[in-house]
Amino acid sequence: MDPIMLSRIQYALTTIFHFFFVPLSIGLVLLVAIMETLYVVKGKEVYKTMAKFWGKLFLINFAVGVVTGILQEFQFGMNWSEYSRFVGDVFGAPLAVEALLAFFMESTFIGLWIFGWDRLSKKVHLACIWLVFVGTFLSALWILAANSFMQHPVGFEINNGRAEMNDFFALITNGQLLVEFPHTIFGALMTGAFVVTGISAYKLMKKQDVEIFRKSFNIAIIIGLVSSLGVAFSGHFQAQYLVETQPMKMAASEGTWTTTEDPAPWTVVAFIDPDKQENSGEIKIPGLLSYLSYSKFSGSVKGMKELQAEYEQTYGPGDYIPPVRTTFWSFRIMIAAGGLMILLALYGTFLAMRRKLEGAGKWFMRLMVFAISLPFIANTSGWIMTEVGRQPWTVFGYMTTAAGVSPNVSAGQILFSTIAFTAAYTVLGIVMVYLFVREIKAGPYAVEKPEEHDESADPFGVDGGYSVVTK
Amino acid sequence: MLSLSELWFLLIAVLFVGFFFLEGFDFGVGMSTAMIGKTDRERRTLINSIGPFWDGNEVWLITAGGAMFAAFPHWYATLFSGFYLPLVVVLLALIGRGVAFEFRSKMRHERWRKTWDIIIVVSSALLPFLFGVVFATLMKGLPIDAQMQLRPGFLDIVNPYTVVGGLSVTLLCLVHGLLFASLRTVGDLRERALNMAKRLMLPLAAILAVYAVMTYFMTDVFAVRGWALWIMVILGAASLGLAAYFVRQKREAWAFGMTGAVIAIAFASVFIGLFPRVMVSSMGSAFDLTVYNASSGAYSLKVMTIVACTLLPFVLGYQIWSYYIFRKRLNDQHHLEY
């Protein structure tokens, strides 16, 4: 294994893992904030119980998101030092702003929220959870500003052999960011919504705490509907932007080797042979690719072979075609998962509006429980498509991924760290899922049992047999 | 007048000083759970004493890292890639510690809690030690070549000087944390924290003195900065003396302030001694990374300065407010979250 491949594998593993938790944090904290708002406005205890129950799940998830995020920041310097040298001037700024603006806000106000239930007034306490939401939202904005620069570099000039920022405003109004940010945020809200509806459906099937979970389902399904439609629309704009700025990624995600006829058909499935550079067994929908690319049923889409020739002219000899099958299939998996979620959200909303949730068929409830996995599948495949489809570039048109690795770090070191992080993350993942399931089974009215007798305490001492209420 | 890159050197120094002042007592409280927490209830009380704060304190480190990346890309790249293996351990410790706080009390199971408690103690001791080692090597010098690449050998990182540096920071954080714990608790626990701090004062003074002497002989910072560093040493010694005095008087608030001052003075000294270098090269001063050759362009620094000066007052404001909200001591009646 060479350092480049190992660094890529480590980046993929750690980023995908980190991004299981991030969107769920953003989506869950919004729902918790809405529930607590209802509690403050309506004054009903039930909403407080809801906010606390989902808040518990949020905190478990948030903890894992935070600690895996630290690694993300360090990783650029550790495994990609040449990349860091080349883009630090531009790319470092949004990361620093993210920490100053978002991380401080999230971490301080989540501390106030957890420990402040009886220290703060209702309204101030509510403000804290909203500020946590604002923090997660801003965090997403700045990290995506950094990612957007990689996809579509703007606001800089090449000086002294590196990218130097010359227009901060261009960086944060990057067209890529304007399409990427809404798409990612809607995806995050959708994740929170489908996790809440899925868990609620499970509890409703079990007929446990029906009132709480019916209310939770109703709130979340509306967010689910709005966000799943939002994801689809923003994704459409993102695809159009892609045709303009990264046509190679678009061509790869469509498996288009040669420039299409006009109007361009959309390939539903195909067997792709990257060696022969041709597909077989394609199923096509006529005209749809033109619509996806240009919002009209005409216009052709450039193929990878033509683009390869163009890029060789511009950037010199090299292979500019990303891993086609990965890009093609991750795109389709994302769309399939997203489409299914829209349908489920529509039907779920219909049931909720008609107050027919409890009478709903078992099949639907089971489907909603299964649908917990869908946003994670969609988020992950979306990022795989975006990042793999950008290859061989790390900063599109300016630096290849291979050129970005640390020259002073050996393959052995990266292998060691990859194994170490993977092991740690595996344990984290298992523990976290275990705790999640435990909390869900215990439910919002988990009986608060006194603390077991502490063996190390003197039973005749001051605090012998001291009973405490645990969370 | 400071140039922008000099200003950012100052800002990063401030961020690290803030980090060690704040997260320093979190590390100390984490270590203290093994030393003064006899029962599960007591260990929980100790962890809850930093519960609302530790995550926000850790962001000082994240911000320092982000600021290095943005303002001194070469410093960030050379340091993070050069210190590869120590940073892997740092990351594993940060990851373990962060989730341990959140997870430990989720189950009432002996083995479960013991496991997370061990992770809290080990990571809380390991982190200040490793940071101490890293900062010691920055001053002592590392084999940085003409391409700003660093490929350190084991002995470049682990040697008597750096180990003493690591131990100094660890012990300093421990005493600092014990005093913070005594500030936030009552009764027995408070007494034990104070007593432990009292007993550690002499060893702490001894190791800091040894480290200062070693620094005089093994690095050039005294030669470069002369009187400024001597002033810092005198101030540090005075603060430590006052800390010992206040501990004896059982005035933990003042004592805590003084150990905080020692931490601030110690890390400020590192940056004063380094300036204008950010990393000293042992292969010749021509290869030193400095504030001038490792920094970002003027435009980027200007933007960052505006952003930082706008945001920092707010950050400081609400962080101080959160300490104000949780100013009361934890007693037996309190509901514990962690």
Side-chain angles (χ1 to χ4, degrees):
Chain A
M1 289 290 249
D2 65 324
I4 298 171
M5 199 60 211
L6 283 163
S7 292
R8 282 175 187 260
I9 288 170
Q10 184 173 113
Y11 192 82
L13 285 173
T14 52
T15 310
I16 287 169
F17 190 79
H18 176 60
F19 208 75
F20 283 149
F21 305 95
V22 173
L24 183 54
S25 279
I26 299 173
L28 264 183
V29 75
L30 175 67
L31 287 160
V32 172
I34 291 172
M35 288 166 190
E36 196 178 340
T37 307
L38 289 168
Y39 164 63
V40 172
V41 171
K42 294 188 172 181
K44 283 188 190 159
E45 259 332 277
V46 65
Y47 289 115
K48 183 180 178 180
T49 313
M50 277 160 65
K52 277 201 160 184
F53 173 74
W54 297 110
K56 245 185 229 178
L57 296 182
F58 164 72
L59 290 175
I60 295 170
N61 179 74
F62 185 72
V64 182
V66 167
V67 296
T68 52
I70 304 172
L71 193 148
Q72 294 302 109
E73 190 201 56
F74 280 35
Q75 188 165 212
F76 293 115
M78 288 166 74
N79 291 348
W80 308 95
S81 68
E82 289 308 292
Y83 168 81
S84 302
R85 287 179 208 280
F86 181 71
V87 300
D89 194 306
V90 192
F91 187 88
L95 262 63
V97 176
E98 182 188 17
L100 274 168
L101 186 63
F103 292 160
F104 273 123
M105 194 187 283
E106 286 176 65
S107 57
T108 308
F109 288 102
I110 200 65
L112 282 155
W113 189 80
I114 299 169
F115 291 87
W117 280 100
D118 33 24
R119 295 273 172 98
L120 300 165
S121 74
K122 268 190 192 179
K123 283 193 173 131
V124 173
H125 191 265
L126 174 65
C128 286
I129 195 76
W130 278 109
L131 283 167
V132 175
F133 172 68
V134 171
T136 59
F137 190 84
L138 290 171
S139 163
L141 178 67
W142 288 99
I143 195 66
L144 292 177
N147 178 266
S148 295
F149 169 79
M150 297 164 83
Q151 311 289 351
H152 183 221
V154 291
F156 73 105
E157 58 199 6
I158 300 286
N159 277 338
N160 319 317
R162 68 175 182 193
E164 293 193 348
M165 197 197 300
N166 64 6
D167 189 349
F168 184 67
F169 191 69
L171 201 66
I172 50 178
T173 54
N174 187 348
Q176 174 69 28
L177 179 63
L178 302 182
V179 292
E180 193 176 292
F181 178 64
H183 191 60
T184 315
I185 280 287
F186 279 128
L189 301 184
M190 189 166 75
T191 308
F194 273 86
V195 166
V196 170
T197 51
I199 293 168
S200 300
Y202 171 82
K203 296 295 266 190
L204 288 170
M205 277 198 295
K206 294 247 177 213
K207 303 252 190 302
Q208 293 166 346
D209 302 308
V210 170
E211 188 198 10
I212 288 218
F213 289 106
R214 191 186 56 237
K215 281 186 156 66
S216 300
F217 188 100
N218 290 350
I219 296 168
I221 198 76
I222 292 167
I223 302 279
L225 180 64
V226 172
S227 57
S228 59
L229 291 170
V231 166
F233 281 106
S234 57
H236 178 54
F237 291 118
Q238 199 172 355
Q240 296 187 347
Y241 195 79
L242 199 60
V243 177
E244 280 174 51
T245 55
Q246 295 183 73
M248 182 64 98
K249 189 192 284 184
M250 189 69 187
S253 67
E254 294 307 337
T256 308
W257 293 102
T258 49
T259 301
T260 62
E261 65 263 42
D262 179 3
W266 192 70
T267 312
V268 185
V269 289
F271 293 105
I272 296 172
D273 186 341
D275 298 330
K276 287 191 188 152
Q277 302 204 335
E278 57 187 33
N279 305 344
S280 53
E282 294 174 317
I283 300 172
K284 295 184 175 186
I285 302 174
L288 188 59
L289 182 55
S290 294
Y291 183 77
L292 289 177
S293 309
Y294 311 111
S295 288
K296 59 182 193 203
F297 287 97
S298 63
S300 62
V301 173
K302 258 197 189 145
M304 284 179 276
K305 287 181 189 172
E306 285 82 355
L307 288 163
Q308 168 69 22
E310 276 178 36
Y311 286 5
E312 277 180 4
Q313 292 262 306
T314 316
Y315 305 113
D319 181 4
Y320 298 100
I321 296 178
V324 180
R325 277 178 298 199
T326 310
T327 316
F328 179 88
W329 285 110
S330 57
F331 185 43
R332 271 142 197 78
I333 291 167
M334 174 178 80
I335 289 178
L340 192 50
M341 280 187 279
I342 293 176
L343 296 177
L344 288 171
L346 277 168
Y347 188 65
T349 311
F350 166 78
L351 288 176
M353 300 285 248
R354 304 270 308 263
R355 309 263 155 105
K356 285 193 172 169
L357 199 55
E358 270 128 297
K362 267 251 153 98
W363 64 270
F364 174 71
M365 288 308 208
R366 283 202 187 124
L367 207 53
M368 285 312 284
V369 177
F370 152 80
I372 292 176
S373 62
L374 291 177
F376 296 97
I377 292 168
N379 289 332
T380 306
S381 47
W383 274 113
I384 289 174
M385 174 201 160
T386 290
E387 295 295 289
V388 171
R390 193 188 57 231
Q391 301 308 320
W393 301 107
T394 176
V395 181
F396 187 84
Y398 290 92
M399 187 184 222
T400 60
T401 308
V405 289
S406 304
N408 53 331
V409 177
S410 67
Q413 286 174 311
I414 308 171
L415 186 62
F416 167 75
S417 65
T418 307
I419 291 168
F421 294 146
T422 307
Y425 279 13
T426 307
V427 172
L428 269 193
I430 292 167
V431 168
M432 164 175 165
V433 170
Y434 175 76
L435 285 175
F436 243 63
V437 170
R438 214 169 157 273
E439 294 287 354
I440 293 162
K441 284 203 166 133
Y445 292 110
V447 186
E448 298 187 323
K449 287 196 293 264
E451 208 55 20
E452 273 150 32
H453 183 65
D454 197 321
E455 289 306 319
S456 58
D458 175 11
F460 301 105
V462 183
D463 59 350
Y466 194 93
S467 66
V468 202
V469 177
T470 27
K471 280 170 84 179
Chain B
M1 192 57 208
L2 283 177
S3 75
L4 280 175
S5 40
E6 288 164 351
L7 176 74
W8 272 92
F9 180 81
L10 179 68
L11 256 174
I12 287 167
V14 168
L15 286 167
F16 273 113
V17 167
F19 169 69
F20 286 107
F21 179 96
L22 295 166
E23 188 85 330
F25 64 72
D26 295 333
F27 292 144
V29 170
M31 284 183 264
S32 77
T33 53
M35 302 164 79
I36 57 172
K38 286 183 181 166
T39 63
D40 185 59
R41 170 83 192 175
E42 286 181 347
R43 284 190 291 275
R44 289 188 70 187
T45 306
L46 286 168
I47 295 167
N48 275 269
S49 75
I50 55 170
F53 313 125
W54 69 267
D55 193 8
N57 295 344
E58 203 158 84
V59 175
W60 285 77
L61 174 69
I62 315 289
T63 310
M68 275 166 103
F69 195 177
F72 301 101
H74 290 298
W75 186 12
Y76 170 79
T78 303
L79 181 73
F80 279 61
S81 61
F83 277 93
Y84 198 86
L85 293 178
L87 282 179
V88 172
V89 182
V90 163
L91 282 170
L92 290 171
L94 284 171
I95 290 167
R97 189 167 155 272
V99 292
F101 287 139
E102 181 65 38
F103 289 174
R104 83 167 294 283
S105 296
K106 284 273 181 290
M107 294 221 311
R108 233 174 285 126
H109 193 285
E110 190 97 8
R111 279 256 297 282
W112 168 269
R113 287 198 177 171
K114 194 157 265 179
T115 306
W116 292 115
D117 281 349
I118 290 169
I119 290 174
I120 287 173
V121 172
V122 172
S123 59
S124 297
L126 207 53
L127 286 163
F129 178 77
L130 287 166
F131 287 126
V133 167
V134 170
F135 276 91
T137 54
L138 290 191
M139 290 193 288
K140 188 169 176 291
L142 289 152
I144 299 168
D145 66 21
Q147 277 72 49
M148 295 186 174
Q149 299 296 353
L150 168 60
R151 294 181 179 81
F154 180 75
L155 290 177
D156 288 315
I157 297 177
V158 181
N159 53 58
Y161 177 69
T162 58
V163 170
V164 172
L167 290 173
S168 302
V169 176
T170 312
L171 199 53
L172 191 50
C173 288
L174 176 57
V175 175
H176 191 49
L178 284 164
L179 291 170
F180 184 80
S182 69
L183 259 180
R184 297 269 294 129
T185 52
V186 291
D188 237 16
L189 204 51
R190 173 180 167 238
E191 289 292 328
R192 256 181 270 147
L194 270 171
N195 281 332
M196 184 66 77
K198 192 157 78 182
R199 269 190 291 169
L200 288 171
M201 275 296 171
L202 204 58
L204 176 62
I207 198 161
L208 286 175
V210 170
Y211 185 64
V213 171
M214 285 176 107
T215 304
Y216 182 83
F217 287 108
M218 306 196 70
T219 73
D220 64 1
V221 296
F222 279 90
V224 171
R225 282 283 160 256
W227 57 268
L229 270 196
W230 284 111
I231 290 175
M232 293 306 263
V233 170
I234 291 161
L235 281 177
S239 306
L240 195 62
L242 282 172
Y245 167 77
F246 284 124
V247 167
R248 281 189 189 285
Q249 298 280 316
K250 296 205 169 174
R251 290 162 74 181
E252 60 267 36
W254 281 98
F256 171 74
M258 287 301 138
T259 49
V262 176
I263 289 180
I265 288 163
F267 282 96
S269 305
V270 172
F271 285 97
I272 290 170
L274 278 173
F275 188 84
R277 302 156 305 177
V278 291
M279 286 178 95
V280 177
S281 173
S282 55
M283 296 164 86
S285 60
F287 301 154
D288 286 349
L289 291 191
T290 69
V291 167
Y292 311 107
N293 71 10
S295 81
S296 284
Y299 178 86
S300 185
L301 292 174
K302 201 164 77 188
V303 169
M304 293 278 303
T305 306
I306 295 165
V307 171
C309 291
T310 313
L311 293 177
L312 270 175
F314 289 98
V315 169
L316 287 170
Y318 60 66
Q319 276 210 325
I320 291 167
W321 180 66
S322 87
Y323 280 91
Y324 172 76
I325 292 290
F326 300 111
R327 65 196 176 279
K328 289 206 175 79
R329 291 172 185 270
L330 293 167
N331 59 35
D332 281 357
Q333 310 312 313
H334 272 115
H335 170 77
L336 297 177
E337 293 293 341
Y338 285 171

